[in-house]
Amino acid sequence: MGSYPGLGEIAGRRVLVRSDLNVPLDGSTITDDGRIRASVPTIRALAQAGARVVVTAHLGRPKGAPDPAYSLGPVAQRLGELLEAPVAFATDTVGDSARSTVEGLADGQVAVLENVRFNAGETSKDDAERGAFADELAALADAFVSDGFGVVHRKQASVYDVAQRLPHAMGALVAAEIEVLRRLTETPERPYVVVLGGSKVSDKLGVIDNLLGKADKLLIGGGMVFTFLKAQGHEVGRSLLEEDQVPTCVEYLRRAAESGVEILLPSDIVVDTEFPSGDARPDPIVVPASNIPASSLGLDIGPDSAAAFAGALEGARTVFWNGPMGVFEVPEFAGGTRAVAEALTKIDGLSVVGGGDSAAAVRTLGFEESAFGHISTGGGASLEYLEGKELPGVKVLED
Ligand SMILES: Nc1ncnc2c1ncn2[C@@H]1O[C@H](COP(=O)(O)OP(=O)(O)OP(=O)(O)O)[C@@H](O)[C@H]1O
Ligand SMILES: O=C(O)[C@H](O)COP(=O)(O)O
C-alpha cells in the first residue's frame, strides 16, 4: 500500500496528474524531451504507490478541436521509454477511449490522455463551459495532482477548475520550482543579475517593472533589444520591434538611471538581410547597435556584447535568465546565447534558466544540465511569479 503527500493512501485509486509535456517537435520527432523527463518523478512516485495514474497535458496551441499535428501520441511513447514501463494512450481526452483506457488500468499503471486543448472547454474564458469540461475530466479520477509548472499561470480547466472538483495535492515538480523562485524573490544573494531575451517582448516587459526594484543589473538581449534601442533613439531596420512599447522602455531606462540599476544593452548586433529560413544560407555581418542598416534585421547580440554580458555576469551570486540572446536555432546566430550560457556555468551561487526555449537552447548547444543551479520548465509561469502575480494553478491548491 502507498501514499502520496497531501493525498494520503492512493493505492488502487485513479489519480489525474496535470503535467506540462509541451515539448518542441520537428514533425513527430521530439527535439528536446526536458519537460517529459521533469514530469517523470511525480508520475513514477504515484505509480510506485499503487495509483492508477492518468496523465493529462497539452501540446502547442490547437484551436479547441482535434488536430493530428498536436497529438500527444509521440510524447506518450517517450514517457513510456523514460518510465521503462508500458504507457497506455487514449485517443481522446474525456470520451470513450479515455474512459475505457482508464478502466483498463491496473494498480501502478500509467495512461496519457490525448491533448487536453483538443477540447474547447479547456481554455474557455466562460466559467460554465470550462467547468463542464472539468466535470468530465474529474469523472475519470478520484484525486488530482497538479504538476505542470509551465501552465500554473493559466486559469484553464485541467489546471484550475479540476482542482476544485477533486481531492488535490501539489506535485513534486511544482513544489520544487516554486521553492527556487521563492529564493529569487525573497532573499536573492547579491549581486543579483537578470538576463532577458527571446521574442515574446510584450509578455516579458512586465517583469522588468518589478525587477527594477530587486535586481542589481539587467542584461537585455534577443528580440527585446530593438524596442530598447528605439527608445534610445536608434533606428533598428527590420528587426523585431514593438513600437507601442517604446514609451514603456523609455520609462524603464529613466527609472533604472534614477535608481542605480544598470541596464546593459548590446553595443553590437549580428544582422542579416533575411530572417533565416529553409535552405537560404545566412549571410551575417556585425554592426554597431547604433547603426543597424535599414534593410537588415538583428538576429543576435554581437561578439563585443557577448563578452560584455559574460563580464557583467562575473561575480554574480544570483542569476535568472529567460529568453535566448538570438536566433540560437541557427548556428550563425547562436554566439550570444552560447556566451551567456557559458557564463552562467561559472556562477558561484544560484543560477536559474527559465523558459521552454531557453532550457532547450542550453541543452541543444551541448551544455550539461548539472552546470546550472536550476533549469525551470516554466517560461511564462516563472516570469509571472517573478512579476509578483498570483498563479491561479497554485492558488487553487491552497484554497
Ligand atoms: N533577435 C531576434 N529576433 C527574432 N527572434 C529572436 C531573436 N532573438 C531570439 N529570438 C527567438 O526567440 C525565441 C525564444 O523566445 P521566447 O520568448 O519564446 O523564450 P522562452 O521564454 O525561453 O520560451 P517559452 O516562452 O516558450 O517558455 C527563439 O525561438 C529565438 O529564435
Ligand atoms: O510552453 C509553455 O510556456 C507552457 O507549456 C504553456 O504554454 P502556453 O503558453 O501555450 O499556455
Side-chain angles (χ1 to χ4, degrees):
M1 288 302 207
S3 60
Y4 191 83
L7 289 181
E9 191 55 57
I10 51 158
R13 293 172 75 200
R14 299 166 304 163
V15 180
L16 184 72
V17 185
R18 179 48 159 114
S19 301
D20 181 1
L21 304 177
N22 189 22
V23 290
L25 286 177
D26 183 3
S28 59
T29 306
I30 297 163
T31 54
D32 181 74
D33 67 358
R35 278 181 166 154
I36 310 177
R37 283 186 286 115
S39 304
V40 163
T42 296
I43 294 169
R44 182 177 279 142
L46 287 163
Q48 284 176 348
R52 301 168 182 209
V53 187
V54 183
V55 181
T56 183
H58 74 282
L59 183 69
R61 292 177 173 175
K63 306 263 173 282
D67 179 342
Y70 295 106
S71 172
L72 277 174
V75 171
Q77 192 187 335
R78 181 73 189 125
L79 178 63
E81 288 162 14
L82 292 166
L83 285 168
E84 295 175 321
V87 166
F89 180 61
T91 54
D92 57 29
T93 318
V94 290
D96 290 345
S97 175
R99 279 190 295 271
S100 64
T101 303
V102 174
E103 257 166 44
L105 287 177
D107 295 359
Q109 287 186 339
V110 178
V112 173
L113 305 177
E114 183 54 288
N115 194 336
V116 70
R117 290 187 183 170
F118 286 179
N119 306 269
E122 168 67 1
T123 54
S124 175
K125 296 279 171 262
D126 178 62
D127 289 352
E129 192 187 359
R130 242 185 20 252
F133 177 60
D135 285 341
E136 291 188 85
L137 264 180
L140 294 171
D142 307 302
F144 174 64
V145 171
S146 174
D147 206 38
F149 179 69
V151 279
V152 288
H153 59 315
R154 304 286 183 219
K155 192 175 181 182
Q156 296 178 348
S158 68
V159 179
Y160 179 82
D161 305 79
V162 80
Q164 296 178 317
R165 288 163 169 75
L166 289 172
H168 53 256
M170 184 183 282
L173 177 63
V174 172
E177 295 265 23
I178 287 180
E179 174 53 24
V180 173
L181 293 175
R182 196 186 55 72
R183 281 166 64 194
L184 283 183
T185 46
E186 286 177 9
T187 49
E189 267 194 77
R190 295 189 180 280
Y192 175 18
V193 184
V194 175
V195 190
L196 288 179
S199 54
K200 297 176 187 164
V201 178
S202 36
D203 276 13
K204 295 180 183 184
L205 281 175
V207 77
I208 294 179
D209 194 22
N210 185 277
L211 287 170
L212 281 176
K214 300 227 163 76
D216 300 302
K217 285 183 207 172
L218 272 173
L219 317 187
I220 312 259
M224 308 270 287
V225 161
F226 307 100
T227 310
F228 276 92
L229 290 177
K230 186 86 182 178
Q232 288 183 324
H234 304 302
E235 289 308 322
V236 296
R238 291 160 51 226
S239 309
L240 194 67
L241 173 68
E242 299 217 5
E243 194 84 54
D244 57 337
Q245 300 291 338
V246 171
T248 310
C249 292
V250 170
E251 175 63 12
Y252 287 157
L253 290 169
R254 189 191 60 75
R255 275 178 45 206
E258 249 175 41
S259 58
V261 175
E262 186 186 346
I263 292 190
L264 188 58
L265 291 166
S267 57
D268 58 348
I269 301 285
V270 184
V271 302
D272 202 341
T273 47
E274 291 304 330
F275 195 87
S277 71
D279 293 336
R281 274 201 46 198
D283 187 16
I285 56 164
V286 178
V287 299
S290 56
N291 200 11
I292 296 175
S295 58
S296 299
L297 60 168
L299 297 168
D300 192 12
I301 61 172
D304 289 353
S305 311
F309 279 27
L313 284 161
E314 251 172 56
R317 298 283 298 163
T318 307
V319 181
F320 177 77
W321 172 27
N322 173 270
M325 296 292 97
V327 182
F328 73 92
E329 296 91 338
V330 178
E332 285 83 351
F333 308 113
T337 304
R338 185 183 295 283
V340 165
E342 183 76 46
L344 252 75
T345 64
K346 300 187 181 132
I347 297 299
D348 178 17
L350 176 62
S351 60
V352 179
V353 182
D357 281 303
S358 316
V362 299
R363 287 188 287 257
T364 55
L365 292 176
F367 290 90
E368 290 294 327
E369 284 185 32
S370 57
F372 304 91
H374 180 72
I375 299 193
S376 174
T377 54
S382 54
L383 286 176
E384 289 203 13
Y385 186 97
L386 292 189
E387 271 178 67
K389 286 192 186 158
E390 193 166 78
L391 302 173
V394 173
K395 177 79 172 60
V396 73
L397 303 175
E398 291 157 3
D399 287 343

